[in-house]
Each structure stands twice: as structure tokens, then as C-alpha cells.
Amino acid sequence: NQELRPIVSSMSEIDAIDFLLRLTQNGFRYKTDNENFGKEKVLFFEETLHYAYSDCEDRAIFFATLVKQLLNVDIVFVKYPNHLATAIRLNSTVKGDKIIYQNQQYYIADPTYSNANIGQVMPQFKNAQFQITEL
């Protein structure tokens, strides 16, 4: 994480989040836990760096950890049917998909949705029910 701090510190909040999203979206190969381990296995931050593959939960945990440690912004997990993403409370506004949590706007940031920016939810989850879990 410390190697990333000088990079993101010179960026705007949105650019830093999008940078960390791209890093997480494109830095790991995707496989479901069933394909990879033969069972459900949620990885810790460090384990995501160790294993050859990760899934949506692993990436959400990895991304949320980076965002919290490097940017210190509020981030929550957004649990859709068979998918986990995150949402971030920004100091600025962006166009895009957002949710209201505790009377605050949180923008979707999906570390599994390849090359999606903050505020972009996967099309199949646009109108899906979801649950919020705090970090």
C-alpha cells in the first residue's frame, strides 16, 4: 500500500478511486471460488495477492482495503444476488449509479466490472435488490 500512496496523493479523489478500481479490476485473473478451490473461500487482502485467481468478494475486500487505507473515505459493501461490489461516499459528485445509505449518497464502485468507472453498476444488477454491509 505504501508504494501506492505517492501515486494517489497527487490525484483528485475521483481519479484516485478510478485508478484503484482499474488496478483491482485488471490486476487479477477471475475465477469463481468453486472453479478455483472447489468451495466458497473468501480471501483476505494479502491472500488476494498470493493466489492466481480471485472472485468478486476477494476483489471487493481488496479494493475496499486500499480505498480505506489510502484515501480514508467511507466505503460499504453492496451485496447483490451472487455478486459483491462496493459503494463510496464522495466529497464530490459524479454522474452514475448511486445508492442512499444513512441519508448519504454512495456511488457504486465495482472492482469486478472490467474497466468500469466509479458510478457504473453491472447492467444485470441495475434494478436488482441489494443489501449494504459496512466495512
Side-chain angles (χ1 to χ4, degrees), residues 8-77:
V8 297
S9 67
S10 64
M11 297 177 173
S12 71
E13 178 182 59
I14 307 266
D15 288 344
I17 291 167
D18 281 339
F19 171 79
L20 295 174
L21 266 175
R22 289 294 177 286
L23 179 74
T24 307
Q25 291 162 344
N26 300 315
F28 306 100
R29 293 179 292 177
Y30 182 86
K31 258 191 191 176
T32 65
D33 285 338
N34 217 20
E35 295 170 312
N36 198 19
F37 300 108
K39 63 178 182 175
E40 182 64 27
K41 179 178 175 74
V42 178
L43 302 179
F44 289 106
F45 177 88
E46 294 82 6
E47 290 177 312
T48 300
L49 294 170
H50 172 76
Y51 287 102
Y53 301 97
S54 62
D55 69 358
C56 62
E57 291 93 358
D58 308 325
R59 292 175 185 207
I61 292 166
F62 185 87
F63 175 72
T65 302
L66 286 179
V67 166
K68 196 68 182 155
Q69 289 181 356
L70 295 171
L71 305 177
N72 197 30
V73 295
D74 289 336
I75 185 166
V76 295
F77 295 111

Side-chain angles (χ1 to χ4, degrees), residues 112-126:
T112 305
Y113 188 11
S114 293
N115 297 314
N117 293 320
I118 188 164
Q120 289 183 282
V121 68
M122 285 185 182
Q124 65 265 40
F125 300 116
K126 277 260 190 212

